[in-house]
Amino acid sequence: KGALLYGPPGCGKTLLAKAMANQCECNFISIKGPQLLSKWVGESESNVRNVFEKARQASPCILFFDELDSIARSRGSTSGGPGIGDSVVNQLLTEMDGMAKRNNVFVIGATNKPDGLDPAIMRPGRLNAHIYVGIPDAPARLGILNASLRKAKVSPSVDYNAIVSETDTFSGADLAGLCQGAAKISVRRRKDADLKGEDTTDWSIEPADFEIAFRGARSSVPASDQQRYLDKKE
């Protein structure tokens, strides 16, 4: 009936949901959790209803809730008694339970904090498939490098396998940032070469550009966080 994608930030949960919609050849509606919230009484619940109504009208459709933890927090977890958050969770559960009215609408949620979600939303019949999207392995990192640099002119001397071996703790976003950093350094070098009157016709990104980019690059997911997600998976 639905799926929950969880894991460290920057590992491609949103991109995976888009790929699923493209593979299934169906419509895709992406909702950022916080954009459903409103300070006006009843408006947040109305926003949830409207989203599901749009999905039903566009069926077959994948309805994707990014940052699900912002609207599906455990009820009663906030001080001061039931609040707007609890009402939104109740409305969300009500819409997901209306399976007869939700024909050809598949719900996907993505979060970096699965422990904070209301247990009711993850029971069978709602988001019952829990999929861990973790740090990419070596083949995946090689694919990310190729995808990030497919439009760039890269020197044949750049060893992709060496970069892959040095980035075993990097997320997909970290790798993309590394490639962007190397490209910017290459542009700066080309600009300096132009000012000196040098020929830059066959200019490309060189291994030295990646070496400089590595100095400011780091993994955005600490080892402790990675272990926490792995423990949750087990």
Side-chain angles (χ1 to χ4, degrees), residues 7-231:
C11 289
K13 294 182 289 295
T14 303
L15 188 62
L16 181 59
K18 291 180 179 179
M20 291 169 64
N22 183 66
Q23 187 71 19
C24 297
E25 298 182 353
C26 63
N27 294 310
F28 181 80
I29 298 178
S30 178
I31 301 295
K32 292 284 188 182
Q35 78 185 61
L36 294 176
L37 301 178
S38 172
K39 64 180 181 179
W40 305 111
V41 176
E43 189 167 328
S44 299
E45 295 89 325
S46 177
N47 290 339
V48 174
R49 287 195 299 270
N50 291 338
V51 164
F52 276 87
E53 182 60 32
K54 288 179 181 177
R56 285 192 289 267
Q57 293 174 359
S59 64
C61 176
I62 287 180
L63 183 55
F64 176 65
F65 289 95
D66 203 1
E67 300 173 20
L68 184 63
D69 54 280
S70 63
I71 59 171
R73 239 177 266 154
S74 292
R75 285 167 290 183
S77 60
T78 56
S79 59
I84 186 172
D86 291 0
S87 299
V88 172
V89 174
N90 291 334
Q91 185 63 48
L92 190 60
L93 296 176
T94 300
E95 294 293 337
M96 294 180 71
D97 276 338
M99 299 309 300
K101 301 178 181 179
R102 195 154 65 88
N103 292 335
N104 296 320
V105 176
F106 189 77
V107 179
I108 300 177
T111 181
N112 303 325
K113 301 176 180 178
D115 295 333
L117 295 178
D118 193 278
I121 205 169
M122 295 190 286
R123 72 154 174 81
R126 291 168 180 158
L127 302 183
N128 53 305
H130 304 158
I131 303 171
Y132 174 64
V133 184
I135 298 294
D137 57 14
R141 293 198 299 276
L142 182 59
I144 292 170
L145 285 174
N146 286 321
S148 300
L149 298 170
R150 66 182 183 278
K151 295 183 180 179
K153 191 172 181 180
V154 183
S155 171
S157 58
V158 174
D159 188 352
Y160 283 19
N161 291 322
I163 297 175
V164 167
S165 65
E166 296 177 14
T167 55
D168 58 330
T169 61
F170 278 41
S171 68
D174 297 334
L175 280 170
L178 175 67
C179 294
Q180 291 174 3
K184 289 177 182 178
I185 293 168
S186 177
V187 169
R188 292 194 197 101
R189 287 198 304 108
R190 180 171 184 171
K191 193 173 181 180
D192 292 340
D194 283 334
L195 292 175
K196 295 177 182 178
E198 299 177 5
D199 182 18
T200 58
T201 305
D202 296 326
W203 199 267
S204 61
I205 301 176
E206 300 290 338
D209 299 325
F210 277 100
E211 291 177 6
I212 298 174
F214 260 117
R215 298 173 188 171
R218 63 179 180 83
S219 173
S220 61
V221 185
S224 58
D225 285 356
Q226 294 182 39
Q227 188 59 47
R228 177 167 56 88
Y229 286 113
L230 292 174
D231 293 341

